[in-house]
Amino acid sequence: MFSTEFLILGFMLLVFIAIFIFLGTSLFRVGEKEYALINWRFFLSPRPPAGNFIALVGEQGIWARVYGPGVHFIPFVKMFGEITRWNLFTVPVGRRGLVIARDGEPLGPRQIMTERPIVIPDILDGDAFLRSGGQRGPQLNLLPPGDYTFNHELFEIRLIDPVIITAVEKELEEEIKGEKRMLKREVPRFGLVTVKIGRELEEKGGRILAERPRLNAYFSTHDNFQDLAAFLAMGGQKGVQEEILEPGAYIINPEAVNVKQIEAEFISAGFVGVVISSAGSEPSEDELEILGTQNGRQITVLREKVDDRLVIDRRGILPKPLGPGFHFVHPVAQRLIRVDMTPRTICWDDQEETEFDPILVYTKDGFDFHVQVEVGIRVVDAPRFIAVSGKIGEFVNDTVSPQLNDIILSVASRKEVYEFFEKRADIVGDVLKQLRAVINEENFFAKILFFRIKKIDVEEHTALAEYLKLRTGEVNARREEALVVAQTKVAGERVKLQRQNALAANQTITAVAELNTDAAELLKKAIAAKGEGLAAALKRVDGESWLIKVVQMAASDPDFLKNILQTFSPGGKPQ
């Protein structure tokens, strides 16, 4: 029989061996730059729920919990489990880690990623992640630079770069001293943001953009979509955002937020940009300036202020235009219309590059011909001009051109053809006055600067060309007649002076009288010949104009001009 002391010693030895075996199979060490995963294989342990392959502590399979550097104690882990060691995962400086869970609660029917803001320690602690109801798929929070222990069976980490919004070099057309040139410019860009998580966009009220997130007691900013937990807590909506990202670097979760870089709009010198906003809510009546009605619809622009309150976040035409330079214009929320504020000349002529053909007019005396004209216009209030007339091209086509045609035709129908050549200034003034009465700053917010008749096309009209030729001859004849009258008057004065000199010197003026009689006879013959030629030419012209008849009567009567000359002769008789 063994003694009691021997039995006690043996028991203690067994206990020591048991403790040694227990500790030897339960303790393990993880290196400084390592982490360990446990694959538990004890057949009596429960299995993970159906649909899950990552186990919690005590369940069969790969445990979610991660064991970092140091000494750890898990009963019989070396006997009933497998320990694998892995190097720490490093997120380098300047980058971020996107965490994607391979296991966890499934996503909802309309979810593309989780919207639960799990903090970083819980993400790295897989057991806490699963127990707290973490969902599968990309997580909201990004890992900052550093070394991490994580369960690579439960999580995948993708390295992402920040979104950097920078300018781009581009050739732009600019006008310098009246000359258009292509110049290289640094064109700034901004970020158009589309968010894939958050509340559904409400379709009522015709909204096409997500509402701005609202401030609350816990969050005052979402830090340019970098803090998605704050974005969701502030009631952020899915879809295209009204807010934009200005140039800079941003830490953006690419699974939740899409950023598209958009070039800034450039407005050249001499132009302004009218902005039509489709973001925000419908304006109230007191926030609108009513300019008139068109096709039963009110024409309006937004007011800048109402009772010292700025009118913002409203749909409509903004009252202040954008000046020359670069501007960030939201491509979905805003529409930019460039308006040329410099004087513009519109031509109606036969040049290929012009918009309109010459205008066909009909005169009072039955002639028809084309006139080439030009009109100068200038916009004085761009936002209101756009509200009333639309773009400058539409204004010219729909308003200026029809009005000008009607006015010119009306004026021409009251004029005879010769007035277009001899009284052109009167016709131009008449047309300009009527055009300014119709198109003015009060109703169209544009100004008519000038109207000119560039050319009258007579080559295509034979009868008109012949008439103008005869009209020119008539005018020249009148000028010659006036010259003859003036010369005769001067000759009479000279004869009178000679007579006085002859009487004073007791000299006879017989020779002078004979000379004067011969000169008058020659003048009469010259006038008769001129009249016969003019009358013959006028007979070839069609029409019964009173002016032509007068010219014919004067030309057919040689004594007509003689009688005129008598009025300038001493005693009423030719000398």
Side-chain angles (χ1 to χ4, degrees):
M1 297 292 298
F2 296 104
S3 65
T4 304
E5 292 179 352
F6 180 79
L7 292 175
I8 292 173
L9 182 61
F11 177 76
M12 292 179 63
L13 181 61
L14 290 175
V15 171
F16 177 77
I17 293 173
I19 292 174
F20 179 81
I21 294 174
F22 175 71
L23 293 176
T25 58
S26 302
L27 291 173
F28 64 96
R29 182 179 181 277
V30 180
E32 184 179 354
K33 294 186 177 295
E34 294 179 327
Y35 66 91
L37 296 182
I38 306 300
N39 186 1
W40 189 253
R41 295 174 178 174
F42 185 55
F43 67 97
L44 293 178
S45 296
R47 295 182 178 276
N52 297 94
F53 66 93
I54 298 296
L56 299 175
V57 173
E59 295 179 338
Q60 292 188 51
I62 298 175
W63 286 357
R65 178 173 295 174
V66 178
Y67 297 87
V71 178
H72 302 275
F73 173 78
I74 301 175
F76 306 111
V77 64
K78 294 180 180 178
M79 181 180 299
F80 300 111
E82 177 185 5
I83 303 171
T84 56
R85 292 171 174 80
W86 305 85
N87 293 328
L88 296 179
F89 184 85
T90 300
V91 177
V93 176
R95 308 187 78 184
R96 293 295 187 272
L98 171 64
V99 180
I100 301 174
R102 296 189 176 116
D103 203 352
E105 295 294 325
L107 296 174
R110 304 190 68 175
Q111 283 185 298
I112 62 167
M113 64 176 291
T114 183
E115 296 183 9
R116 299 188 60 183
I118 306 298
V119 296
I120 296 297
D122 288 344
I123 290 178
L124 298 177
D125 184 351
D127 195 73
F129 174 82
L130 294 178
R131 291 182 187 277
S132 63
Q135 290 182 300
R136 300 174 185 177
Q139 304 300 303
L140 292 180
N141 300 70
L142 300 176
L143 299 179
D147 295 329
Y148 296 95
T149 60
F150 78 104
N151 189 329
H152 60 267
E153 297 292 340
L154 173 60
F155 299 114
E156 174 190 357
I157 297 181
R158 296 178 187 170
L159 294 176
I160 63 170
D161 296 310
V163 175
I164 301 176
I165 301 175
T166 59
V168 61
E169 191 175 78
K170 206 175 179 187
E171 283 193 343
L172 297 177
E173 183 180 83
E174 296 187 48
E175 188 169 327
I176 301 175
K177 295 181 179 180
E179 181 181 350
K180 291 184 178 181
R181 300 180 184 176
M182 298 300 294
L183 300 177
K184 284 189 176 182
R185 295 284 297 269
E186 288 286 332
V187 179
R189 295 189 292 181
F190 66 95
L192 177 66
V193 179
T194 303
V195 179
K196 306 173 187 177
I197 59 175
R199 297 185 299 118
E200 294 293 332
L201 180 64
E202 298 178 4
E203 297 182 358
K204 65 179 182 179
R207 290 195 68 92
I208 60 174
L209 296 173
E211 294 181 359
R212 289 176 177 266
R214 297 182 293 272
L215 306 182
N216 55 42
Y218 302 100
F219 298 98
S220 60
T221 177
H222 52 72
D223 193 18
N224 292 309
F225 306 97
Q226 297 178 108
D227 187 347
L228 292 179
F231 174 81
L232 295 173
M234 295 168 69
Q237 290 183 318
K238 297 178 181 178
V240 179
Q241 305 295 306
E242 185 178 346
E243 298 172 89
I244 63 171
L245 297 179
E246 296 192 356
Y250 301 91
I251 308 302
I252 300 292
N253 189 326
E255 295 295 326
V257 179
N258 178 60
V259 179
K260 182 180 180 181
Q261 298 200 36
I262 306 293
E263 293 178 5
E265 295 284 355
F266 180 70
I267 299 176
S268 303
F271 285 74
V272 297
V274 176
V275 177
I276 303 176
S277 174
S278 55
S281 56
E282 287 292 337
S284 59
E285 289 187 4
D286 61 341
E287 293 175 330
L288 291 173
E289 177 186 347
I290 300 175
L291 305 176
T293 58
Q294 193 175 79
N295 298 326
R297 177 181 62 88
Q298 284 188 335
I299 303 171
T300 62
V301 296
L302 292 171
R303 296 185 186 275
E304 189 175 351
K305 289 183 179 180
V306 175
D307 298 331
D308 295 329
R309 172 180 60 85
L310 290 175
V311 178
I312 58 174
D313 197 28
R314 295 291 185 270
R315 302 176 200 168
I317 299 176
L318 303 188
K320 270 193 166 183
L322 304 177
F326 289 102
H327 299 275
F328 295 148
V329 178
H330 198 296
V332 178
Q334 298 171 325
R335 181 162 70 99
L336 178 69
I337 300 177
R338 293 176 177 83
V339 180
D340 188 354
M341 301 298 289
T342 61
R344 176 172 180 172
T345 300
I346 305 137
C347 297
W348 285 255
D349 57 29
D350 53 8
Q351 301 299 313
E352 291 185 1
E353 63 272 12
T354 54
E355 302 175 62
F356 304 102
D357 295 328
I359 300 173
L360 178 63
V361 299
Y362 299 86
T363 62
K364 179 180 178 181
D365 48 358
F367 287 102
D368 62 274
F369 50 89
H370 288 91
V371 292
Q372 300 185 27
V373 301
E374 60 184 9
V375 173
I377 62 173
R378 181 172 63 84
V379 176
V380 295
D381 188 325
R384 289 164 180 79
F385 172 82
I386 292 299
V388 172
S389 304
K391 296 182 180 179
I392 188 71
E394 297 172 358
F395 172 65
V396 171
N397 288 324
D398 300 339
T399 303
V400 178
S401 182
Q403 292 291 346
L404 180 64
N405 274 272
D406 290 345
I407 291 172
I408 290 181
L409 289 175
S410 175
V411 170
S413 67
R414 301 192 301 270
K415 303 292 183 181
E416 295 195 6
V417 66
Y418 80 92
E419 294 182 77
F420 275 85
F421 300 91
E422 298 179 21
K423 298 182 179 181
R424 182 178 298 185
D426 295 340
I427 294 177
V428 168
D430 194 1
V431 172
L432 182 60
K433 181 180 178 181
Q434 294 188 47
L435 193 59
R436 283 176 172 171
V438 176
I439 301 172
N440 52 56
E441 299 178 32
E442 287 73 23
N443 52 14
F444 286 99
F445 304 96
K447 185 175 183 180
I448 301 296
L449 302 177
F450 61 83
F451 167 75
R452 299 190 187 103
I453 296 179
K454 299 169 58 179
K455 182 183 177 183
I456 299 177
D457 297 330
V458 298
E459 296 83 359
E460 61 186 21
H461 199 305
T462 306
L464 177 59
E466 187 67 24
Y467 169 76
L468 293 176
K469 181 178 178 181
L470 295 175
R471 179 70 181 178
T472 302
E474 177 189 352
V475 172
N476 290 337
R478 288 180 178 177
R479 290 175 180 172
E480 290 181 8
E481 177 183 339
L483 178 61
V484 169
V485 171
Q487 289 176 343
T488 303
K489 187 174 182 180
V490 171
E493 294 294 332
R494 188 170 63 250
V495 170
K496 188 184 298 183
L497 179 61
Q498 289 175 351
R499 183 177 296 168
Q500 291 174 355
N501 291 338
L503 290 174
N506 289 321
Q507 295 178 355
T508 180
I509 59 169
T510 303
V512 176
E514 291 177 355
L515 179 61
N516 188 50
T517 301
D518 293 340
E521 187 65 28
L522 290 174
L523 177 60
K524 179 179 178 181
K525 291 180 179 180
I527 292 174
K530 186 70 175 182
E532 290 173 1
L534 184 57
L538 288 172
K539 290 177 180 178
R540 295 195 298 270
V541 180
D542 297 332
E544 294 298 328
S545 168
W546 64 270
L547 179 60
I548 295 176
K549 290 182 179 294
V550 171
V551 174
Q552 287 176 340
M553 290 173 62
S556 62
D557 184 10
D559 292 332
F560 179 80
L561 294 177
K562 175 182 176 182
N563 294 333
I564 293 177
L565 294 178
Q566 287 178 356
T567 61
F568 297 97
S569 304
K573 294 181 180 180
Q575 301 295 318

